[in-house]
Amino acid sequence: MLRPLVRVVIPALLAGVLSLPASPPVGAAACPMVQPPVGDPFPDCSSQQVLNILPPGNNGLTNAADAATGTPEPHATDQQGMYANLKDVAPNLQAADLRQYYKDAGFTVAARDIERRSTFPAPHDGTVILWDNFGVPHVYGKTRADTEFGAGYAAARDRLFVMDVLRHIGRSRLSQFIGPSPFAFQEDCTIAQVAGYSEQELTYQANLLPQRYPTPFGSITEGQQVVDDGTNYVAGVDAYIDAAKLDPTLMPVEYAALPAGQTVPQHWIPADIVAVAAIVQSIFAVGGGDEVDSWFLYKALADKFGPSKGFQIWHDLRLQNDAGAPTTLVQPFPYMNAANADSTTLPGIADLSSRLTDGAHYVCGSQSPPPASSSTAVPKISLGLPTLVPGHMPAMSNALLVDAAHSASGQPIAVFGPQVGYFIPEILHEEDLHGPGLHARGAAFPGTDIYVELGHGTHYAWSATSAGSDLIDQRLELICDPGTPTTYTPGPANGQFYWYDGSCSRQMYERTDTEQALTSGAAPYPPQLITFHIERTIHGPVVGRGTAQLGPYGAVPVAIAVQRSTWFDELGAAPAFLEWNDPDIIHGANDFLGAAAKETGTFNWFYADAHDIAYYSSGRLPQRSTMVNPNFISWGTAPGYEWQGFQVTSCNAAVVTPPGPDSTGASTTGATTTSCGFAANWLIADGATADPHPHAINPPSGFLTNWNNKPAPEWSAADSNFGFGSIYRVMSLTDRVRATLASGPATPVAIVNDMEDAGSVDLDGSKLVPPMLAVLGPGGKPEERRVLGILAGWVQPDDLGAHRAVHRARRRQCDPQRHLRTDGRRRSTRRCLPGHRQQRPVEADDQPGRQRDSHGRRGSCHHPRTGFARLPDRGPRRSAEAHVAGAQRRQRGARPDIDRALQWNTGHAPLDAFGAGLRCAGREPLTGRVLHAGRRRCLARRELPGHRHQRPGECNSPVEHQRGGLERLHVRAPHRLRQRGEHGELRGPRGPPAVHRAPQIEPR
């Protein structure tokens, strides 16, 4: 049985809670020392104050024997429930319960928690790996090489097949590896558009690191150290592969389902690390690159409304620099907001008039494209990475930090939530590395986990969210006829020569790769022959063709090229990770900012230690010409339109990709690469005070919040981002942190509650409903006032409500004013019937086998439209009509408008609505008398057409909450309340209810 690699719904991918340390150290030396199994002692300042969670689990190995018996690996999903359950207790999580939802993430491993110990023969007898009771490998080495060898071995032990999938995606060879499927074709095709490197080009990037990053690191350079570390990491991966070939219990079962020739993993090489890094850079580290679509949007508006009004509409939609946009910092950091950003007539703006073909249709081809869906063929392995097209980065991660001055302990608090998508096995890998110059624990992408990429060191921690700043542009290359090299003459639509700097002498790089995707157990689709047509100019990959208007020439042929600042430098982030993993380099916040400035991808980086919190928004960002509008596609024809200081970087020696088969078995026509990226006058990045990148240490606000939002005022949104407006999801985090700090010093559990509570907020409710209510006022028809009352109750109190779903741990109470519901009892949930939009939980009764509804009754019946419930389960049995009539009589004195409200809600007279619609809860469809939970009988009656049974734990209709609504008919019936308060409100059995922030409704 093949265990699929698929997306699953998991609340978060990596979450960390940090409060370092219990007492502030003068330096790392003041912290407790840890004696590892091998190597020198090292300090650990976590003091049990660093927690994390990596759902569903850290182990990704299932061998054939386990798959055959259905025996799950114990650490494959052991963290999923911990974090999934957090949503059920927040925002009422208590400090004493934090470790029920997070695990300890310190460096120390107690002897009782060691489940496996791995040692190795010479020359790696200085490596020891201890796997703990959550399957996390703690890697120790006498030498740095020993530690990196162990890191590679541990990564392969936990993620070998995932690593293999990623290195094939990075080469656009996934279909060749696992077989034909729609998702494999998509992944291959999209990475071919943004990268498309040959095997030789990947190797060249790895070998170029010493030259590219010459900063001294001990006796060598940072670039050389990364190369050495990568070499030893690869040796560890290969050692595991060799062991797995001899021991079936170490071989992932997925290989058995692959096509012929792929059933045994091949050895790793340094180029594999570059291939995986290219995926990371293409998904999470980019922004911009959508100028063509932005231009066509403007043109459509201008055609309909005229150039001036069309531009104003486009400008309003663009939100490039909305002054009201929420930001992480309050200090302005101007970038890309000069006057040229508001012009449509600059000479560098290319008037693209049509796209003949672009994207996947241009780069990729297949003799038999896989169907989008199939009822007979279902892929057993699916990765489903976020869209790899430039500029369309995912936006999921968050971070909340509070400085020492606003913390109850006097030390900073950090709650990090970096997220990369939902996968099983988990796509990130957690590791704990210790050796000379290496002391860090956290997560990293398997295949690049030479270093911890998100985690903590001996006395500090760091994390990231995607920033999406603009480091990609689209260029129009003017296709010309090389027969007239110094005079422009339009060339053929598919021509390979393009005009640059006054001549038609440059020819595109061109290569065609072909992969054979064979039907397999992992991908049961018909075989495919897939081709990738790779073209490049000096600006980068060509992703389409079209025509543009060029003065007297009219419509001329053009090619669309993507210019990415990190192109041909996919390992540009390595020096930053190298430094963050070394406590001898990172002594404080300023050191961290200096290292963050070396990160070439666009991320928001966050830092905390015992004294400070810090922030840096990284990225290798170009400084654009004033003759182009950064929002629209620009000509690639002249140096005057280029990024400032743009220069083509020639390869040290021509990189020759020979024709024939490559390392994966695919074939290529081959090509020679002479341009290996480019250089420019990038925006200064050094982490110093004058650094123009948004950054701060201990900001005046006392806290930092980020949810992929705008970093700072005047920092322009990338051209692909039309969302940095005055309403953004980070406001849900900021509002709660501010409220927490206003009530007193913060604690880690309070910030965790703020994070989790914000996750279910509907911004339409929390930010748009209050001003709407203020504008509409108290007037209007009775029906309108009732609807407004529902909305008002939903967003209160203090605008911290408006939850899309109500946590089960929220305690319920019937409030005569707001009709809010709170209750402290543990509850289970049931499915909603069609037309019902919100669950009403059923609470576990004290008696085994019994269940009570939220008002203490055992038994309930529902109306399909109104959700009305409450048939009694004891006392004299009456007809439905008599029961409802009695309930109405009891309520009329307190709620004289109830009949009118019911008639308006249902469109029927109240008695008809209830009497005709009641149905009993039970375990089988109603066909007469049926048993209810607890073996009590419901009212005997005929099942009405269209009525189906409802299990205990029924779902409520939204109308139930309208001004007390239908549920409240029985609020005042004392014999139906488990406990009455002074004003008749419901209370749980353990004291007064807590404040509840919203009724259980979800307005559409």
Side-chain angles (χ1 to χ4, degrees), residues 326-350:
T327 57
T328 296
L329 303 180
V330 297
Q331 177 186 349
F333 283 85
Y335 176 64
M336 209 175 68
N337 54 9
N340 59 316
D342 291 327
S343 176
T344 61
T345 59
L346 296 171
I349 297 176

Side-chain angles (χ1 to χ4, degrees), residues 492-686:
N494 62 348
Q496 294 297 304
F497 283 83
Y498 58 99
W499 187 265
Y500 187 79
D501 197 15
S503 70
C504 186
S505 58
R506 291 188 178 271
Q507 185 175 7
M508 293 182 189
Y509 171 98
E510 186 178 15
R511 189 185 84 240
T512 299
D513 297 346
T514 304
E515 62 174 342
Q516 178 71 45
L518 301 177
T519 303
S520 70
Y525 290 93
Q528 298 175 60
L529 191 66
I530 302 171
T531 60
F532 305 106
H533 187 61
I534 308 298
E535 293 178 332
R536 299 178 195 146
T537 70
I538 58 173
H539 298 112
V542 173
V543 296
R545 299 273 179 150
T547 60
Q549 297 299 316
L550 185 64
Y553 298 97
V556 296
V558 293
I560 304 170
V562 174
Q563 185 177 18
R564 172 164 58 98
S565 68
T566 54
W567 165 252
F568 233 96
D569 185 19
E570 306 299 348
L571 292 177
F577 297 132
L578 171 72
E579 295 189 9
W580 287 335
N581 279 240
D582 191 342
D584 294 330
I585 293 178
I586 305 300
H587 302 286
N590 285 305
D591 297 326
F592 172 81
L593 295 183
K598 296 183 178 183
E599 163 67 88
T600 58
T602 169
F603 290 100
N604 299 300
W605 291 102
F606 299 90
Y607 169 90
D609 61 22
H611 309 285
D612 303 308
I613 61 174
Y615 166 70
Y616 189 91
S617 187
S618 69
R620 179 182 289 168
L621 301 175
Q623 301 186 75
R624 293 171 172 85
S625 168
T626 58
M627 290 192 286
V628 304
N629 184 327
N631 298 292
F632 298 140
I633 191 166
S634 55
W635 286 111
T637 57
Y641 307 146
E642 297 286 3
W643 294 343
Q644 295 179 23
F646 174 83
Q647 289 184 342
V648 177
T649 300
S650 298
C651 306
N652 291 340
V655 180
V656 179
T657 301
D662 62 15
S663 63
T664 66
S667 64
T668 179
T669 59
T672 299
T673 307
T674 58
S675 298
C676 294
F678 37 74
N681 296 335
W682 311 116
L683 193 69
I684 295 173
D686 56 14

Side-chain angles (χ1 to χ4, degrees), residues 7 74 76 97 141 150 186 248 267 338 358 370 432 528 579-580 606 1002:
R7 284 195 182 191
D97 299 328
Q186 178 186 9
H267 274 169
D358 67 350
D432 181 22
Q528 298 175 60
E579 295 189 9
W580 287 335
F606 299 90
E1002 184 182 356

Side-chain angles (χ1 to χ4, degrees), residues 895-975:
R895 299 297 301 277
D897 64 338
I898 189 67
D899 286 348
R900 294 192 301 275
L902 293 174
Q903 188 165 3
W904 175 68
N905 287 337
T906 64
H908 301 277
L911 188 62
D912 292 340
F914 288 0
L918 289 170
R919 56 195 165 89
C920 289
R923 299 185 182 279
E924 301 293 339
L926 298 178
T927 55
R929 293 179 180 271
V930 295
L931 292 177
H932 187 275
R935 304 190 64 81
R936 292 184 178 273
R937 291 185 178 275
C938 271
L939 176 69
R941 62 171 179 79
R942 179 174 57 86
E943 182 179 17
L944 297 176
H947 288 70
R948 297 164 57 190
H949 93 287
Q950 172 71 12
R951 295 184 299 171
E954 69 282 357
C955 301
N956 294 343
S957 169
V959 298
E960 177 181 77
H961 298 280
Q962 298 185 20
R963 297 183 61 82
L966 309 181
E967 181 185 350
R968 308 306 172 212
L969 282 176
H970 297 285
V971 167
R972 295 181 182 274
H975 65 282

Side-chain angles (χ1 to χ4, degrees), residues 812-955:
R812 22 186 321 189
Q813 167 187 356
C814 292
D815 187 313
Q817 298 297 322
R818 297 176 181 158
H819 310 290
L820 306 182
R821 301 169 48 166
T822 63
D823 185 281
R825 298 182 63 77
R826 182 187 180 101
R827 295 173 280 177
S828 61
T829 57
R830 307 292 190 222
R831 282 184 309 177
C832 287
L833 291 182
H836 289 75
R837 295 170 50 201
Q838 179 62 49
Q839 287 183 330
R840 177 188 304 146
V842 167
E843 303 162 355
D845 191 56
D846 295 336
Q847 304 178 43
R850 300 285 184 90
Q851 286 196 335
R852 293 180 181 270
D853 65 20
S854 56
H855 286 287
R857 300 182 206 81
R858 302 185 187 93
S860 58
C861 296
H862 265 229
H863 183 275
R865 289 186 299 273
T866 66
F868 172 71
R870 310 290 188 268
L871 281 183
D873 60 357
R874 54 183 180 269
R877 190 158 292 160
R878 300 177 293 173
S879 68
E881 290 82 355
H883 171 74
V884 172
Q888 291 176 334
R889 286 194 297 271
R890 287 192 298 273
Q891 293 298 319
R892 282 189 178 118
R895 299 297 301 277
D897 64 338
I898 189 67
D899 286 348
R900 294 192 301 275
L902 293 174
Q903 188 165 3
W904 175 68
N905 287 337
T906 64
H908 301 277
L911 188 62
D912 292 340
F914 288 0
L918 289 170
R919 56 195 165 89
C920 289
R923 299 185 182 279
E924 301 293 339
L926 298 178
T927 55
R929 293 179 180 271
V930 295
L931 292 177
H932 187 275
R935 304 190 64 81
R936 292 184 178 273
R937 291 185 178 275
C938 271
L939 176 69
R941 62 171 179 79
R942 179 174 57 86
E943 182 179 17
L944 297 176
H947 288 70
R948 297 164 57 190
H949 93 287
Q950 172 71 12
R951 295 184 299 171
E954 69 282 357
C955 301

